[in-house]
Amino acid sequence: MCGGVPRLQGPLTRETIVAEATPPGEGGIAIIRLSGPLAPAILSQIFRGNQPVEQWAGHRLYAGWLVDELGQPLDEAMAVWMRAPRSYTREHVVELQVHGSPLVVREAIHLCCAGGARPARPGEFTLRAFLNGRLSLAQAESVAQVIASESRAALQGHVSDLGGRFSRLVEQLRLDLLDWLSRLEAELDFGDEVAAEPQEANEARLLGLRQRVSRLLEGGEEGRIARRGVQVALVGPPNAGKSTLLNALLGTRRALVSPHPGTTRDRLEETLRAAGRTFRLVDTAGIRETEDPIESMGVALTRATAEESHLRLLVLDGSCSLPPLDPKVWNPDLVVLNKCDLEAALPVEEVVSWACAPALSVSAREGENLEKLLELLSERAGRVGQGSELEYFLTERQRAALHVVSSHLEELDATLRSGLSAEFLCLDLRAASQALGEILGLEISEEILERIFSTFCLGK
Amino acid sequence: MTKFSRVVVVGAGHAGCEAALACARMGLSTIVLTSSRTHIARMPCNPSIGGPAKAQLVREVDALGGEMARVIDRTHLHIRMLNTGKGPAVQALRAQAHRPAYSEAMQEVLISQERVTIFQDLVLELRTRGDRVVGLVGSSGCLYRCDAVVQFAGGRSGEPPANGLASCLRSMGLQMGRLKTGTTPRVHRDSVDFGSLERIEPSSVPLTFSELSPRQLPARQLACFLTRTSPRTREIILSNLDRSPLFGGQIQGTGPRYCPSIEDKMVRFPDRTTHQVWVEPEGFDVPEVYLQGVSTSLPLDVQHEIVRSLPGLEQAVIIRPGYAVEYDYVLPTQLLRTLECRAWKGLFLAGQINGTSGYEEAAAQGILAGINAALRAEGGDPVSIGRDQGYLGVLVDDLVCRGTLEPYRMHTSRAEYRLLLRQDNADQRLTLLGRRVGLVDQHRWAVFQAKQSAIESELARLQRERVSGRVESDLSEWMGQSVQAGQKLEELVARPGFSLARLRSFQGLPELDPRVVEQVEISLRYQGYLRRQQAEVERLQSLEARALPVDLDYARIASLSAEAREKLETVRPSTLGQASRIPGITPSDLSLLMVTLKQCQTV
């Protein structure tokens, strides 16, 4: 805490670390390296191949997909697991090869952190290799040089960001945390001079702080969207031609298409650049009452996908009557009346008033009106993903620290609700300020005492 | 003339007393040098002991087998628990001593302690051989030969200045700094209108610092009083600022932030219309009354005006004016965690000489320095105390890793493991260590073990037993909260406000020692938080456990930044954990240290 916060986590603790191993930038292939006890477990969470990771042979390259928390594929990838101690660091090492776009690399690192790894410190892989006896003692000097040069590089990155908006927001947040903390510390150490902060005041402060942290994370999220594209969910009854539409828009045959209803049970996702925007089109399972447990799971997934998407396209078969679904549940941004090459059974006006959304007739099979559809999409997307005032890009280290802050504030909330006194609140408050201090390369230590004495007139 | 002993303790303040007692109780002949016998364990500032973080230190001294707690338990005139509305980690006992009685009682303990000899003498120079201190020469001309020396500096009103000591340490190549401190004016008891002041009563239940003191209410206690500065006080001070040596520049040392002079407060906090002033008795039959909160260096005529501007003190007569003093201290980053000087084997420093303030801080360092001086003389392995083991550990670690630029006072906010370092569990943290070095006697050890086993068996019982269906409703009614059949008793006790004592009386079980009940309740009620802190301690253990060689040549670590190198060379941390706490040391610096360590180990 104040006097001497052990602010560093030791590499000797059994933490798993992750970093991009190839030089950053848009190269052909990027390699993401994980080292530590959790590496295999993280690999099996984020990588889908033909074989479960546990059955892999060491040092063999496997092909598959990088998948996100929901199991959605993000990118084609290759992976190799070097079992401890037969690796560079003598720990479990996993290397993932993905396409070298900075976006994919960031996503991959983010997923590793979500799985329990933390971003590696400058030169940490080399350090571990050395400490675990993988490098000879004669190489110590070069190990030291790696550490020093990588930290210089990191420092430069930090300095260039210092003038940045993100740093200012984080610093302000940290100061407000410290402000609260020193208020509480003063009431603990100088209880006879500083009255306890009322519960409501503490609650109000916490609420404000939590909102700001989530805004910071969301702002980072905005940055992410700008790079990942606008997510568009294609939803609708079975056999309305969603997959055909997706394929038509992409000009490929990515989705499995067949005349049998219910073919798309999983979610499929493709990136499309059109009308000057990046769209991520997500094909979903058809919506219908079903007894088939797999398919009903698919419908639940469709619901979730629709909710998290920026835009929802309700795809209907224009040659059939209105489907038995409640448009309010799906809240479409646009209704697509597909199969306009067949005889129309649905007047557009009726659809518009039923769905409370604009409608457009297209033919996925004949490619009719697709350009118009893309234009409408772009228009509907508005400013989504084009960056907003709040947009900034979080590095993985920053994101990890903000998540730490967020979870401490959540714990703090529980403590506050249980009516415990200030010293219990300080526990998470300190940890949160420390995590933020780490992003900015600061330490809290003496600062709290300084604040106590400059804010409160204390003393015997 | 030459005198021989195993250890010489220079100075008999609070640090010196604990150090000398520790050495003698560990079986070593010990000489104590003091400028005057009447200066033993004096309280030149407010005669009060304890308060937040300080009470914890007193209990730690007690747990190690020290004396301060037992003496204040016998000689206080007012005792109460502070922060009672808060959790156990920040509750703190505070006592106001009957000043003359405290010093006399400590003198008696020291004089009657076997193997302690007291001489009235001052240090002129230290005698060394190589890098070892082997004795010292007193101003009497006497040569004291020994294996270890413990020093602390005093020097307040009425004591000869300790400048001799400072120049002697300086001549040994130790870097010194200068600090300032002040006192408040004392007024005559009979000139205070106590009836118009807010009255603070002492505790009506028996409270003690020591595990060994009998728990009974003292025959007599006094109240303390509270008043506040008036607008007039402010006017007087502001219009006389040019006469303050603190502001006029005559005194330039760094004063403590937590103990600002009243001039300081008025200038720094202009918006604050009023400041608290505690009016506290210094003894049963002592005419002086201490005014806590108006420490000042203004001239006497202004002090008179200030005091008389306080409500209730309109007629007050000052019998001892307040003043500010400067004193020398050794930059404590030159010490090891054992409080031995890095450069001089056998020379231990404790107390004000290390830049700390407070009797409790001094006593705590004194006992640690005493233990290590004895171990040095005996050739045993030195002991140090971790930040997770006690405020004493935090204190020493802060001093040696970070140094201090103002008189260092302990606050609970300095301890990162605050929830673990409670005044109620000091014995669990340190008695074993005290026993290992031979300072905890059979009696204290037996008391400790009995308490521990009572705690453990009660915890085991509560874990084992459940609420039976037969008593469910009776118990709910008895406790005033609903309990369900099948619930473990430990779950019930973990609830806030659920009294274990009441549960036991429902079960028809005999009453337990309240201290045992307290431990059981705390460990169940705050389990989640305590475990979190414990886990944090364990997580950082690997850094704390990695020792750095004392003679590590930082200049040879090529990639280290110049700043880091300079800091590491000054502090010479003894572990990686300590290195990580030096301000300005970065994670990459630590990584570089690990690389170097690995080389050292294998080469």
Side-chain angles (χ1 to χ4, degrees):
Chain A
M1 291 207 214
C2 233
V5 190
R7 66 209 147 86
L8 307 171
Q9 306 173 342
L12 297 182
T13 59
R14 309 186 33 83
E15 293 166 314
T16 301
I17 54 173
V18 60
E20 182 179 0
T22 38
E26 305 237 11
I29 296 288
I31 296 174
I32 288 133
R33 183 181 290 148
L34 277 155
S35 178
L38 287 179
I42 293 172
L43 177 64
S44 61
Q45 267 173 44
I46 65 168
F47 188 83
R48 281 296 132 73
N50 293 327
Q51 235 179 351
V53 169
E54 305 79 62
Q55 293 169 17
W56 284 18
H59 295 76
R60 274 263 289 284
L61 206 53
Y62 288 82
W65 287 81
L66 177 67
V67 296
D68 68 12
E69 291 98 329
L70 297 168
Q72 306 302 324
L74 290 174
D75 189 22
E76 255 183 306
M78 308 272 273
V80 56
W81 173 15
M82 286 156 274
R83 286 191 163 79
R86 293 187 53 220
S87 73
Y88 177 57
T89 59
R90 294 218 159 147
E91 302 172 334
H92 285 301
V93 168
V94 162
E95 287 184 0
L96 268 174
Q97 296 182 7
V98 293
H99 289 114
S101 95
L103 168 68
V104 174
V105 172
R106 269 174 211 282
E107 280 304 313
I109 293 178
H110 173 59
L111 289 170
C112 292
C113 291
R118 67 161 170 81
R121 272 191 225 112
E124 200 169 359
F125 289 101
T126 312
L127 176 68
R128 288 189 179 198
F130 179 75
L131 293 179
N132 293 330
R134 182 69 176 69
L135 299 177
S136 77
L137 288 165
Q139 287 165 287
E141 196 48 41
S142 28
V143 173
Q145 274 163 12
V146 168
I147 293 170
S149 71
E150 287 194 16
S151 36
R152 266 195 303 277
L155 193 66
Q156 275 160 8
H158 176 67
V159 169
S160 69
D161 182 50
L162 267 183
R165 186 178 162 74
F166 176 76
S167 295
R168 283 200 307 277
L169 290 173
V170 170
E171 176 58 7
Q172 192 49 51
L173 178 67
R174 196 183 75 96
L175 290 177
D176 291 348
L177 284 170
L178 285 183
D179 200 51
W180 189 12
L181 185 54
S182 47
R183 177 78 183 64
L184 295 174
E185 290 290 0
E187 88 186 43
L188 291 172
D189 275 328
F190 302 92
D192 55 353
E193 291 171 73
V194 180
E197 190 89 325
Q199 175 84 2
E200 308 77 60
N202 282 332
E203 279 169 9
R205 276 201 202 231
L206 178 60
L207 187 66
L209 288 167
R210 291 187 74 177
Q211 282 171 349
R212 281 165 60 193
V213 173
S214 45
R215 269 209 302 279
L216 278 172
L217 278 166
E218 278 163 18
E221 204 60 28
E222 279 287 309
R224 238 171 121 198
I225 291 165
R227 287 152 186 86
R228 286 194 65 173
V230 181
Q231 183 168 320
V232 182
L234 276 61
V235 300
N239 218 20
K242 296 183 296 297
S243 303
T244 316
L245 181 61
L246 177 70
N247 290 340
L249 287 170
L250 293 170
T252 65
R253 289 184 55 83
R254 164 81 168 74
L256 183 59
V257 187
S258 85
H260 309 293
T263 313
T264 308
R265 281 181 181 149
D266 294 320
R267 186 173 109 150
L268 285 178
E269 177 177 323
E270 281 299 338
T271 302
L272 170 70
R273 285 202 63 85
R277 308 286 296 260
T278 304
F279 294 100
R280 261 182 320 124
L281 302 178
V282 187
D283 190 11
T284 61
I287 309 158
R288 64 164 176 183
E289 300 286 308
T290 173
E291 299 285 295
D292 179 356
I294 297 182
E295 209 171 309
S296 66
M297 264 166 59
V299 173
L301 195 62
T302 299
R303 265 299 258 294
T305 306
E307 273 164 25
E308 66 166 39
S309 295
H310 301 107
L311 294 176
R312 283 151 291 275
L313 277 192
L314 178 57
V315 184
L316 302 179
D317 184 342
S319 64
C320 301
S321 53
L322 282 173
L325 55 82
D326 182 358
K328 282 195 212 74
V329 171
W330 299 94
N331 188 26
D333 295 276
L334 183 65
V335 182
V336 177
L337 292 169
N338 193 15
K339 308 191 187 176
C340 71
D341 50 319
L342 302 179
E343 196 185 331
L346 279 172
V348 172
E349 301 74 32
E350 195 186 319
V351 173
V352 169
S353 68
W354 172 74
C356 299
L360 177 71
S361 294
V362 305
S363 167
R365 209 170 57 187
E366 303 296 324
E368 215 170 303
N369 244 355
L370 292 184
E371 284 305 313
K372 176 80 181 156
L373 172 59
L374 287 170
E375 262 171 49
L376 275 177
L377 272 182
S378 174
E379 194 187 301
R380 287 261 127 190
R383 290 188 47 79
V384 170
Q386 292 203 310
S388 64
E389 198 198 340
L390 260 181
E391 182 191 321
Y392 28 80
F393 205 81
L394 298 181
T395 66
E396 211 35 64
R397 181 173 291 282
Q398 291 165 342
R399 188 198 298 276
L402 279 175
H403 277 295
V404 169
V405 172
S406 165
S407 69
H408 280 300
L409 292 182
E410 205 172 302
E411 294 255 359
L412 185 58
D413 192 45
T415 305
L416 195 56
R417 275 168 210 280
S418 62
L420 288 167
S421 57
E423 70 274 28
F424 295 97
L425 303 178
C426 291
L427 203 62
D428 282 299
L429 211 41
R430 261 175 197 283
S433 335
Q434 221 173 307
L436 283 182
E438 268 172 38
I439 302 188
L440 300 166
L442 303 166
E443 49 172 347
I444 56 171
S445 61
E446 267 292 293
E447 229 174 306
I448 295 172
L449 276 181
E450 189 53 54
R451 275 179 166 259
I452 294 179
F453 295 118
S454 58
T455 316
F456 302 100
C457 180
L458 300 165
K460 314 287 176 178
Chain B
M1 191 174 54
T2 305
K3 295 195 187 299
F4 294 90
S5 67
R6 304 297 302 281
V7 178
V8 176
V9 174
V10 181
H14 303 279
C17 289
E18 295 292 351
L21 289 169
C23 291
R25 287 169 181 170
M26 286 169 73
L28 283 84
S29 58
T30 306
I31 285 177
V32 178
L33 300 187
T34 170
S35 53
S36 156
R37 278 187 187 232
T38 58
H39 286 173
I40 294 173
R42 271 166 34 97
M43 296 180 151
C45 199
N46 192 6
S48 116
I49 284 181
K54 289 167 166 270
Q56 282 89 327
L57 282 171
V58 179
R59 288 259 169 103
E60 288 170 13
V61 170
D62 185 58
L64 286 168
E67 207 54 42
M68 178 174 253
R70 275 183 284 187
V71 172
I72 185 65
D73 281 343
R74 292 203 295 278
T75 59
H76 64 74
L77 54 77
H78 177 110
I79 191 165
R80 69 177 194 278
M81 192 68 85
L82 307 182
N83 277 342
T84 46
K86 305 194 174 83
V90 292
Q91 291 190 15
L93 207 49
R94 183 181 184 277
Q96 189 75 12
H98 175 38
R99 187 151 52 88
Y102 184 90
S103 306
E104 278 160 26
M106 190 60 94
Q107 279 167 38
E108 232 176 80
V109 173
L110 198 59
I111 289 165
S112 56
Q113 174 65 47
E114 221 183 320
R115 290 181 288 275
V116 168
T117 323
I118 303 170
F119 290 105
Q120 243 172 262
D121 206 346
L122 293 169
V123 187
L124 273 189
E125 69 175 300
L126 288 167
R127 284 291 166 87
T128 56
R129 187 177 304 137
D131 62 352
R132 251 194 104 97
V133 170
V134 293
L136 53 87
V137 181
S139 58
S140 63
C142 181
L143 172 67
Y144 301 90
R145 288 215 162 277
C146 59
D147 298 320
V149 173
V150 184
Q151 294 212 344
F152 98 105
R156 281 279 179 101
S157 111
E159 287 172 22
N163 283 341
L165 177 65
S167 63
C168 145
L169 292 172
R170 204 171 270 125
S171 72
M172 295 180 73
L174 292 173
Q175 279 189 300
M176 313 283 291
R178 216 154 160 73
L179 296 173
K180 73 174 178 191
T181 188
T183 61
T184 76
R186 321 288 172 95
V187 297
H188 198 286
R189 188 169 57 182
D190 299 342
S191 66
V192 178
D193 176 16
F194 288 106
S196 67
L197 300 180
E198 187 184 335
R199 208 181 148 86
I200 314 293
E201 295 295 344
S203 167
S204 55
V205 294
L207 294 171
T208 60
F209 278 100
S210 175
E211 283 288 308
L212 301 184
S213 298
R215 290 240 160 158
Q216 60 200 35
L217 272 180
R220 189 180 160 211
Q221 291 201 77
L222 298 180
C224 290
F225 299 86
L226 195 56
T227 184
R228 308 193 131 268
T229 60
S230 64
R232 172 97 189 100
T233 320
R234 193 180 155 72
E235 277 167 39
I236 299 166
I237 290 169
L238 293 181
S239 59
N240 284 288
L241 270 187
D242 54 325
R243 298 179 65 196
S244 162
L246 291 173
F247 278 84
Q250 291 96 320
I251 290 194
Q252 288 177 332
T254 316
R257 285 172 300 185
Y258 49 82
C259 202
S261 66
I262 188 76
E263 299 91 286
D264 250 348
K265 291 192 204 176
M266 296 290 177
V267 172
R268 284 175 47 212
F269 299 93
D271 300 339
R272 225 170 126 143
T273 49
T274 175
H275 299 266
Q276 276 187 345
V277 179
W278 287 85
V279 182
E280 298 182 306
E282 295 199 5
F284 287 113
D285 45 10
V286 176
E288 280 143 306
V289 169
Y290 191 91
L291 298 184
Q292 180 170 285
V294 286
S295 123
T296 178
S297 63
L298 286 163
L300 186 54
D301 59 313
V302 187
Q303 291 189 24
H304 269 296
E305 278 193 76
I306 293 173
V307 166
R308 292 185 170 191
S309 71
L310 302 171
L313 282 92
E314 292 85 355
Q315 308 297 318
V317 175
I318 294 181
I319 44 182
R320 254 208 294 167
Y323 57 91
V325 284
E326 282 191 297
Y327 57 94
D328 295 297
Y329 75 112
V330 171
L331 300 187
T333 48
Q334 300 168 94
L335 303 178
L336 298 170
R337 276 196 299 182
T338 56
L339 293 178
E340 189 172 28
C341 286
R342 224 170 25 234
W344 297 103
K345 289 199 176 73
L347 178 60
F348 294 81
L349 303 180
Q352 207 179 46
I353 189 81
N354 289 344
T356 63
S357 88
Y359 313 136
E360 304 85 348
E361 286 85 346
Q365 291 171 70
I367 196 165
L368 181 64
I371 290 171
N372 280 319
L375 291 170
R376 163 64 74 195
E378 294 282 73
D381 287 336
V383 298
S384 60
I385 292 174
R387 298 183 69 92
D388 57 324
Q389 279 182 293
Y391 276 88
L392 175 49
V394 175
L395 169 69
V396 173
D397 190 68
D398 278 353
L399 288 177
V400 308
C401 296
R402 309 184 148 240
T404 184
L405 293 173
E406 65 174 344
Y408 181 104
R409 173 181 163 177
M410 190 43 85
H411 302 287
T412 70
S413 62
R414 295 190 192 269
E416 63 271 37
Y417 307 122
R418 174 164 53 197
L419 300 183
L420 302 178
L421 307 184
R422 305 185 307 272
Q423 57 172 6
D424 62 75
N425 71 353
D427 55 344
Q428 290 173 36
R429 294 184 275 114
L430 292 170
T431 298
L432 182 62
L433 176 64
R435 179 70 177 170
R436 228 184 57 219
V437 299
L439 208 44
V440 164
D441 61 18
Q442 192 49 45
H443 172 55
R444 183 185 291 276
W445 186 240
V447 168
F448 171 70
Q449 284 189 310
K451 180 176 162 191
Q452 292 319 301
S453 72
I455 294 167
E456 276 156 33
S457 69
E458 181 66 356
L459 279 171
R461 181 184 80 84
L462 294 171
Q463 197 200 8
R464 205 170 51 231
E465 293 181 17
R466 290 171 188 271
V467 177
S468 73
R470 196 165 43 79
V471 302
E472 181 183 348
S473 66
D474 285 353
L475 182 57
S476 297
E477 195 182 328
W478 174 259
M479 297 302 305
Q481 38 179 295
S482 101
V483 306
Q484 274 86 47
Q487 273 188 306
K488 278 188 178 180
L489 295 189
E490 66 174 8
E491 290 166 29
L492 297 182
V493 177
R495 290 181 183 175
F498 194 101
S499 154
L500 174 58
R502 207 166 153 73
L503 173 68
R504 284 183 65 93
S505 81
F506 175 82
Q507 295 185 297
L509 295 169
E511 228 176 273
L512 275 181
D513 182 334
R515 282 178 269 205
V516 171
V517 172
E518 184 186 28
Q519 283 315 299
V520 171
E521 286 180 343
I522 289 172
S523 64
L524 293 176
R525 202 158 290 163
Y526 303 109
Q527 207 168 43
Y529 295 95
L530 299 178
R531 281 198 187 142
R532 262 181 74 184
Q533 290 232 300
Q534 199 57 53
E536 188 64 14
V537 170
E538 278 150 27
R539 197 175 67 83
L540 292 160
Q541 209 69 60
S542 63
L543 283 182
E544 296 301 330
R546 295 292 294 270
L548 288 167
V550 224
D551 54 352
L552 191 58
D553 185 0
Y554 292 103
R556 279 190 47 227
I557 308 178
S559 308
L560 217 51
S561 71
E563 188 200 359
R565 182 175 307 143
E566 192 197 319
K567 283 181 167 151
L568 290 165
E569 271 167 357
T570 312
V571 173
R572 297 214 149 260
S574 41
T575 65
L576 276 182
Q578 265 196 328
S580 77
R581 287 187 292 271
I582 300 173
I585 294 295
T586 66
S588 346
D589 296 331
L590 267 204
S591 302
L592 292 171
L593 284 180
M594 286 182 205
V595 172
T596 312
L597 262 189
K598 174 86 180 173
Q599 275 177 298
C600 298
Q601 277 163 6
T602 341
V603 174

